[in-house]
């Protein structure tokens, strides 16, 4: 009775289990005699970032057992339901797991398990290939150093495959003179203001675009001042502009100072700073006689100070010779020049001779010096004066050196740059100078004579043959 009861009880349990899972008792008895197994084999899969992948889980004799997918220990699905919140997961063609738009964080082990006793499991490895992602130090992306300090640039990169890295400067070469420096570190022993700029750490692994991280190097230094012109020429009633360039970090406070005098605010107008605070202009309008003199552009920051000096002058500017360096005669030369002067020119001084002069504006004993009045001078516009004179009693086929300067009521202007001119040889035509060294054209008459003689001989021979 007990044996029958035990047998009947087991049958009853099977019937209840069969009813619960919706299969017949015969099917349940058949399934209970066969253990499920995997048709799919464990494997390692490589997939690029943003692509999709299907991890296989084909089962033989699944029976009533529950199939579960897990990423490491985290459950993704149970039976046919996705329980993970990530909508990129889905089951396709049974229990194969599809992951859409793969991310680097998806790289892991994935296990398909059947709740047998013990568990039946199939584990795949997912390897995600992705381009480099670069991280630089400092994290702010800005490196602030005083001039002369050592700079350290560092970066790291993640990617699969492992990327290679190098440093470069966004504009120009690295301070070491290299276009690129291999490795994740780059060091500059002593930084200067010219080294300031954006440095880039570049990582490459052949997937997509290279990863790039940037560090902006900001070099702090005391001011440096450069002047646009050391002498600025102007005249009463005109406008003058004094320009200086200031380089400083942190930005400098800039002021203009007139030596042996003060700036009159009604006529001295500092302009707005231009080009990120590096160009400063002092505009003087209108210019009065008292405005002539020496000015300083002074710059200050907490690291130091510097200044640049320039003169506002009413004297003539440097004269410029405009005549040809090749004369048109053997014993004379027509000299022409021009000079900018806002006041009337009172006289010119022309010095010329063979051999160098002793000093700027001076002459050697062999030089001639001529004072030229402004008679016949041509004035173009408000300030450009043009003049010309003949120089006589020169030696043929000789090269001379020459300089010119002008004087107005404010004094003598700067001496012109040394000018060289030469006279023709006696019997030499000016056209001969248009050929290299003049040798080709001097030979040309002889060449033409030979050519003509050749034609005559050919003509005579031809006539004899015809007869």
């Amino acid at each position: 009775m007990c044996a029958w009861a035990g047998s009947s009880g087991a049958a009853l349990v099977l019937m209840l289990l069969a009813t619960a899972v919706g299969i017949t008792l015969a099917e349940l008895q058949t399934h209970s005699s066969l253990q499920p197994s995997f048709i799919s084999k464990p494997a390692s899969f490589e997939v690029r970032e943003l692509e999709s992948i299907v991890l296989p889980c084909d089962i033989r004799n699944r029976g009533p057992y529950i199939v579960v997918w897990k990423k490491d220990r985290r459950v993704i699905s149970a039976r046919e339901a996705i329980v993970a919140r990530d909508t990129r997961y889905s089951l396709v063609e049974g229990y194969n797991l599809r992951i859409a738009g793969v991310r680097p964080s998806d790289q892991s082990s994935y296990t398909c398990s059947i709740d047998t006793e013990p568990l039946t499991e199939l584990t795949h490895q997912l390897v995600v290939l992705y381009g480099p992602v670069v991280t630089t130090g400092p994290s702010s992306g800005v490196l602030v150093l005083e001039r002369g300090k050592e700079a350290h640039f560092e970066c790291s990169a993640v990617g699969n495959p492992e990327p290679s890295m190098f440093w470069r400067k966004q504009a120009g070469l690295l301070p070491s003179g290299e276009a690129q420096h291999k490795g994740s570190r780059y060091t500059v022993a002593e930084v200067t203001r010219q080294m300031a700029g954006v440095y880039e750490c570049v990582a490459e692994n052949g997937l997509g675009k290279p990863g790039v991280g940037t560090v902006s190097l900001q070099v702090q230094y005391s001011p440096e001042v450069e002047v646009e012109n050391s002498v600025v020429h102007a005249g009463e009633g005109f406008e003058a502009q004094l320009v200086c360039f200031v380089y400083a970090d942190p930005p400098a406070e800039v002021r203009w100072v007139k030596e042996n005098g003060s700036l009159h605010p009604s006529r001295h107008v500092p302009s707005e700073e231009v080009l990120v605070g590096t160009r400063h202009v002092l505009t003087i309008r209108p210019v009065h006689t008292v405005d002539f003199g020496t000015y300083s552009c002074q710059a200050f920051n907490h690291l130091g100070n510097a200044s640049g000096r320039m003169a506002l002058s009413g004297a003539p500017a440097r004269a410029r010779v405009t005549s040809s360096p090749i004369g048109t005669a053997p014993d004379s030369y027509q000299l022409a020049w021009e000079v900018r002067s806002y006041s009337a020119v009172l006289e010119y001084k022309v010095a010329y001779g063979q051999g160098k002069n002793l000093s700027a504006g001076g002459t050697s004993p062999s030089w001639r010096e001529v004072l030229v009045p402004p008679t016949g001078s041509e004035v173009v516009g408000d300030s450009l004066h043009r003049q010309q004179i003949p120089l006589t009693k020169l030696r043929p086929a000789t090269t001379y050196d020459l300089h010119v300067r002008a004087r107005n009521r404010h004094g003598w202007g700067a001496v012109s740059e040394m000018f060289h001119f030469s006279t023709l040889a006696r019997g030499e035509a000016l056209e001969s100078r248009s050929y290299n060294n003049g040798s080709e054209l001097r030979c040309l008459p002889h060449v033409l004579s030979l050519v003509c003689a050749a034609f005559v001989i050919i003509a005579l021979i031809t006539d004899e043959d015809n007869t």
Side-chain angles (χ1 to χ4, degrees):
M1 182 69 176
C2 292
W4 177 87
S7 176
S8 298
L12 180 59
V13 171
L14 286 175
M15 289 178 65
L16 292 174
L17 182 59
T19 302
V21 300
I23 61 176
T24 66
L25 180 60
E27 290 174 330
L28 179 60
Q29 290 173 335
T30 300
H31 284 298
S32 65
S33 63
L34 297 175
Q35 285 291 323
S37 62
F38 290 107
I39 300 173
S40 304
K41 302 296 183 182
S44 178
F45 296 88
E46 287 189 352
V47 60
R48 291 194 176 197
E49 184 179 11
L50 301 181
E51 292 182 351
S52 298
I53 185 70
V54 175
L55 303 179
C57 182
D58 294 321
I59 303 171
R60 180 188 296 111
N61 300 323
R62 180 180 66 84
Y65 298 100
I66 299 173
V67 178
V68 176
W69 270 103
K70 292 184 295 184
K71 176 186 177 184
D72 293 329
R73 295 183 178 180
R74 191 167 186 175
V75 175
I76 297 174
S77 69
R79 299 183 187 271
E80 288 77 19
I82 300 294
V83 297
R85 293 183 179 180
D86 196 331
T87 58
R88 296 176 303 125
Y89 294 125
S90 61
L91 295 176
V92 296
E93 298 179 0
Y95 292 94
N96 300 318
L97 179 64
R98 183 177 186 271
I99 308 173
V102 171
R103 303 168 184 168
S105 58
D106 292 327
Q107 180 165 302
S108 185
S109 60
Y110 292 79
T111 301
C112 181
S113 63
I114 306 172
D115 66 337
T116 57
E117 185 62 41
L119 287 175
T120 304
E121 293 184 328
L122 169 69
T123 299
H124 298 302
Q125 296 295 327
L126 180 61
V127 177
V128 181
L129 305 178
Y130 59 98
V133 178
V134 177
T135 303
T136 57
S139 58
S140 64
V142 180
L143 183 60
V144 181
L145 295 171
E146 289 188 14
R147 178 169 48 191
K149 299 295 184 180
E150 188 173 68
H152 297 279
F153 299 92
E154 295 186 2
C155 65
S156 60
V158 293
N160 193 12
E162 183 178 353
S164 60
M165 291 178 285
F166 63 87
W167 281 94
R168 69 186 180 193
K169 196 175 182 187
Q170 199 172 79
L173 300 176
L174 292 167
S176 56
E178 304 169 279
Q180 299 177 356
H181 180 82
K182 291 183 179 180
S184 60
R185 295 184 178 183
Y186 181 66
T187 301
V188 180
E190 295 182 0
V191 296
T192 65
R193 69 175 177 85
Q194 291 81 5
M195 296 176 186
V198 179
Y199 291 74
E200 297 180 333
C201 175
V202 182
E204 298 175 320
N205 68 355
L207 292 178
K209 294 182 179 179
V212 179
T214 61
V215 175
S216 178
L217 174 63
Q218 181 181 341
V219 181
Q220 294 189 332
Y221 55 95
S222 60
E224 298 176 11
V225 179
E226 297 176 1
V227 299
E228 186 174 67
N229 293 296
S230 58
V231 180
V232 176
H233 296 274
E236 294 94 333
F238 291 88
E239 177 182 294
Q241 287 190 334
L242 308 181
V243 180
C244 72
F245 297 89
V246 177
Y247 305 94
D249 196 330
E253 176 187 348
V254 177
R255 69 184 182 187
W256 291 89
V257 176
K258 184 176 185 295
E259 296 182 8
N260 301 322
S262 60
L263 295 178
H264 194 290
S266 64
R267 290 184 289 105
H268 301 77
V269 185
S271 73
E272 294 292 330
E273 298 179 13
V274 187
L275 298 180
V276 198
T278 62
R279 184 174 185 265
H280 300 262
V281 182
L282 177 67
T283 302
I284 304 174
R285 58 171 181 261
V287 173
H288 291 186
T289 303
V290 295
D291 294 321
F292 296 121
T294 302
Y295 292 77
S296 293
C297 173
Q298 300 179 349
F300 309 82
N301 67 13
H302 75 274
L303 296 174
N305 62 83
S307 63
R309 300 172 72 247
M310 60 202 83
L312 178 61
S313 173
R318 186 184 300 274
R320 186 177 72 89
V321 178
T322 58
S323 50
S324 170
I326 300 175
T328 59
D331 54 4
S332 64
Y333 175 74
Q334 191 68 21
L335 173 65
W337 68 88
E338 64 183 21
V339 65
R340 192 167 295 279
S341 175
Y342 290 88
S343 298
V345 174
L346 301 178
E347 63 180 339
Y348 300 97
K349 184 183 290 185
V350 178
Y352 63 98
Q354 295 174 262
K356 301 295 182 183
N357 60 333
L358 298 176
S359 61
T363 60
S364 67
S366 62
W367 276 45
R368 299 179 188 175
E369 191 172 275
V370 181
L371 290 177
V372 181
T375 306
S377 177
E378 176 189 5
V379 181
V380 180
D382 294 326
S383 59
L384 187 63
H385 300 253
R386 290 174 176 166
Q387 179 72 295
Q388 58 180 344
I389 61 169
L391 302 179
T392 58
K393 298 181 181 180
L394 303 178
R395 293 182 180 181
T398 302
T399 299
Y400 288 86
D401 298 328
L402 174 146
H403 59 69
V404 183
R405 66 192 309 194
R407 181 176 72 86
N408 64 17
R409 66 188 182 90
H410 296 286
W412 286 100
V415 178
S416 68
E417 294 182 359
M418 190 65 69
F419 180 77
H420 312 284
F421 72 92
S422 59
T423 57
L424 296 180
R426 293 195 183 279
E428 180 184 15
L430 176 61
E431 290 79 5
S432 65
R433 294 296 184 95
S434 63
Y435 290 83
N436 293 337
N437 298 324
S439 58
E440 291 87 342
L441 194 54
R442 282 194 291 271
C443 295
L444 188 58
H446 305 289
V447 174
L448 291 175
S449 298
L450 292 173
V451 172
C452 292
F455 275 114
V456 170
I457 294 172
I458 293 172
L460 291 173
I461 294 172
T462 304
D463 290 341
E464 291 179 358
D465 291 341
N466 292 335
T467 58

